[in-house]
Every structure is written in C-alpha cells, then in structure tokens.
Amino acid sequence: MRDTQAAARARILVVDDDPVFRVYFAGILEDMGHEALEAADGEEGLRRFRESAPDMVLLDLRMPRLDGLAVLDAMAAEAPGTPVVVVSATTEIRNAVGALRRGAWDYVVKPIQDPDLLRHVLDKALAHARVLRENWRYHERLAEEVRVKTLELTEANERLAQEKAQVEGMNVTLRNVLGAVEREKRAIVEELGADIESRVLPVAERMARESSPELRASFLAVLRDELSRLCGEGGGPVPALFGLTPTELEVCRYLELGRGSKEIADLLNCSMETVQTHRKNIRAKLGIKGEKVNLSAFLRTRTLAR
C-alpha cells in the first residue's frame, strides 16, 4: 500500500454497479483532492484492487456476478490493512453488522447528502490505516533487528563453543603430558634407587666394614666409579644429581623436556624468581656455575650418555 498523510492525496477505488453513484462518488473524491478509480462490478473491482493497490475502497454490497460481501472477504484476506468502507442503499442492520464482521472498516448508507460526512469517514479510515502501517513497519524493523541480533548471538555462541572445545582439548593434552612426565619421573627415581641399591650400597657397606686404609681407598675408588657410571659414561665423568633436592630434580626433568622457565613456574605453581633460584643452585651443584653452558642441553647430554 502507498504511503499517505492525513491531508495528502489518496488513491480510492469505487466499486459500484450503478454508474450514477460511481460518477457521484468520483466527483466528491476529486473535489477533496483524492484520485478516484472506478470498477463496475465485483470482479472488475478485485482486478483493479490487485493492480492498483489503492489506499482505500468504497464498496457497494449488491452487485451482479460477484456481490460485495465476497469482494470484501477477498480484500480483507489479501490486504487487511486497506480500509474498505461499505456504501450501500440498504438500511438493514444485519447487512451492516455482517459487513463489519467480515472486515469492513465502516458502513455508510447512500445516497450521501452531506459530503462532509463522507470526508469525515474517509479521513478517519485513512488516518487509522496510516497508524496501522506505521505500526507494521515498526514491527518489521524490530523483527529484522531481532533476527540480526539473534544471528550474531548464535554465531558468538558457536565461536564460544568451539573455543571451549579447543581449551578442553588442550587441557586433556596437558593432563596427559603431565601424567606422562610424572610417570617417567617415578620410573627414573625407581630406576635410580634400584641402581643405588644394587651397585652403590654394597660397595659402601664393604668399605664401612674394612679396617685397612688401603682397602678402604680401593673401595672408595670403586664407589666413585659406580657413582660416575650412574651419572653417565662417555665424554668423561658427569657430576651426579644425588645432591639435588626433589624440587631441583623436577626442574631438571622439565628442562630436559625443553620447558622454559615460565612454563616450569606454571607447572610447579611457583614464581619465575623461584625457578631461577633453582636453576642457579642446580648449576652450582653440577659444577657448571659461571660456565657458558646451556643447562637444558647439558642435562639432555647427561640423559643421552646414560
């Protein structure tokens, strides 16, 4: 339907089988500044209604071929926002009530002696239709905004779900890595303990039972050799890790795995300063303090040499 304003020119379709009344209504409408369209029966009225999309319809009830009520039903179904005013010569109340129930906006009895009455009916119907159109446009804009916001929210939720899945996957991977590190650490400790039990302690016990200084010196040399073997062979003796604390051993293990200080701090739940202190202590206990030796590479070399 075309936009109209309260006093603007409107396109009004007059559907009446009586040519006298059609000419009469057309004259009044044109005097009011409106554009008048005419149809001689119901079928022509529906055709012109669909072609022209008028702002308003003046409709007679009793017409040949297709009566006014059937035309009213079709117009109300196809364009409920277009005001249809029934103008009929019959004064029966049941006709007026029936027309209003089926979608007519008003009911006027012809002949209309006072053009001001028709003007009042037209202005009221057009103003009401204009308000409805504005409400429909508002709801359409609101529905479009809701659709856009809903789409944006759906996309955001999908992104959040994907990110959540990625984080959960990373957490699973991290837990698996930490579990593997913990198992490997326990295996190393168990292996080292078994080596000490089988290779170091027997020599130490023998040395403790000997009273001869020469034999004690021999056993001490053997003990040193066994400790050197535990720390690795090839490329000379490598200082043992026995003097390190459990936390320092754990730092060494993460360094062997290529972890940086920040990652180690996060894994051990401590500060960067604490990790740096551990690294300094490890270097001192391994005898490489002040040397230009990469601690991680040094520890990996020790591991490969064992």
Side-chain angles (χ1 to χ4, degrees):
M1 195 192 313
R2 297 184 304 114
D3 289 341
T4 59
Q5 298 178 350
R9 178 180 175 85
R11 179 185 297 150
I12 300 176
L13 174 62
V14 179
V15 184
D16 197 316
D17 62 329
D18 189 332
V20 175
F21 278 110
R22 288 203 307 275
V23 172
Y24 173 71
F25 283 130
I28 293 177
L29 294 174
E30 289 172 357
D31 288 342
M32 293 178 180
H34 299 304
E35 175 186 357
L37 306 176
E38 298 181 31
D41 55 44
E43 291 185 355
E44 183 184 1
L46 272 180
R47 179 176 58 78
R48 300 214 65 181
F49 178 79
R50 291 163 180 161
E51 293 174 350
S52 306
D55 298 299
M56 185 176 177
V57 179
L58 296 179
L59 177 65
D60 188 20
L61 283 184
R62 295 181 179 177
M63 294 182 293
R65 295 201 295 172
L66 191 64
D67 68 11
L69 291 179
V71 175
L72 177 60
D73 288 340
M75 291 180 175
E78 295 179 18
T82 302
V84 178
V85 175
V86 172
V87 183
S88 177
T90 178
T91 59
E92 295 182 13
I93 297 299
R94 62 184 181 86
N95 290 331
V97 172
L100 294 173
R101 285 179 176 174
R102 295 170 82 158
W105 285 43
D106 210 336
Y107 189 96
V108 179
V109 177
K110 63 179 180 181
I112 299 175
Q113 303 297 334
D114 185 1
D116 287 338
L117 173 62
L118 183 59
R119 182 191 301 274
H120 174 73
V121 171
L122 296 181
D123 288 346
K124 182 178 68 173
L126 290 171
H128 190 188
R130 185 178 66 258
V131 171
L132 287 181
R133 284 196 302 275
E134 291 172 353
N135 286 338
W136 289 337
R137 291 191 185 111
Y138 170 76
H139 287 297
E140 287 175 355
R141 289 194 301 270
L142 184 61
E144 177 62 17
E145 291 178 3
V146 170
R147 186 191 67 80
V148 171
K149 294 299 182 183
T150 301
L151 180 60
E152 292 176 353
L153 182 60
T154 300
E155 293 175 348
N157 287 336
E158 290 176 354
R159 288 195 299 271
L160 286 176
Q162 293 173 357
E163 291 173 0
K164 180 181 178 182
Q166 292 175 354
V167 170
E168 290 176 351
M170 293 172 63
N171 287 338
V172 171
T173 302
L174 181 59
R175 286 196 295 270
N176 292 337
V177 170
L178 291 177
V181 169
E182 184 63 27
R183 289 192 296 272
E184 188 173 353
K185 182 180 72 173
R186 288 198 298 267
I188 291 173
V189 172
E190 291 173 1
E191 181 183 356
L192 185 60
D195 287 342
I196 292 174
E197 184 74 25
S198 62
R199 295 167 57 181
V200 175
L201 289 183
V203 177
E205 291 172 356
R206 290 285 303 274
M207 185 178 68
R209 291 196 299 269
E210 291 294 339
S211 58
S212 169
E214 292 79 7
L215 291 177
R216 288 173 64 87
S218 298
F219 280 120
L220 179 60
V222 172
L223 183 61
R224 286 174 176 169
D225 183 62
E226 289 297 332
L227 291 175
S228 178
R229 290 176 182 275
L230 287 177
C231 295
E233 296 178 349
V238 181
L241 302 180
F242 300 133
L244 301 182
T245 66
T247 301
E248 290 169 349
L249 284 172
E250 196 167 12
V251 171
C252 286
R253 189 57 189 157
Y254 285 133
L255 288 171
E256 289 175 2
L257 293 174
R259 303 288 186 179
S261 295
K262 186 177 185 308
E263 290 178 286
I264 296 174
D266 292 338
L267 291 169
L268 297 181
N269 195 23
C270 64
S271 66
M272 283 278 292
E273 291 75 10
T274 300
V275 174
Q276 295 297 338
T277 300
H278 285 317
R279 293 184 67 147
K280 291 178 181 178
N281 293 337
I282 292 168
R283 295 181 72 91
K285 292 178 180 180
L286 295 182
I288 58 174
K289 182 179 180 181
E291 297 182 11
K292 294 183 178 181
V293 177
N294 183 277
L295 182 56
S296 298
F298 180 84
L299 291 170
R300 283 196 293 271
T301 302
R302 179 193 64 81
T303 301
L304 292 173
R306 287 190 58 183

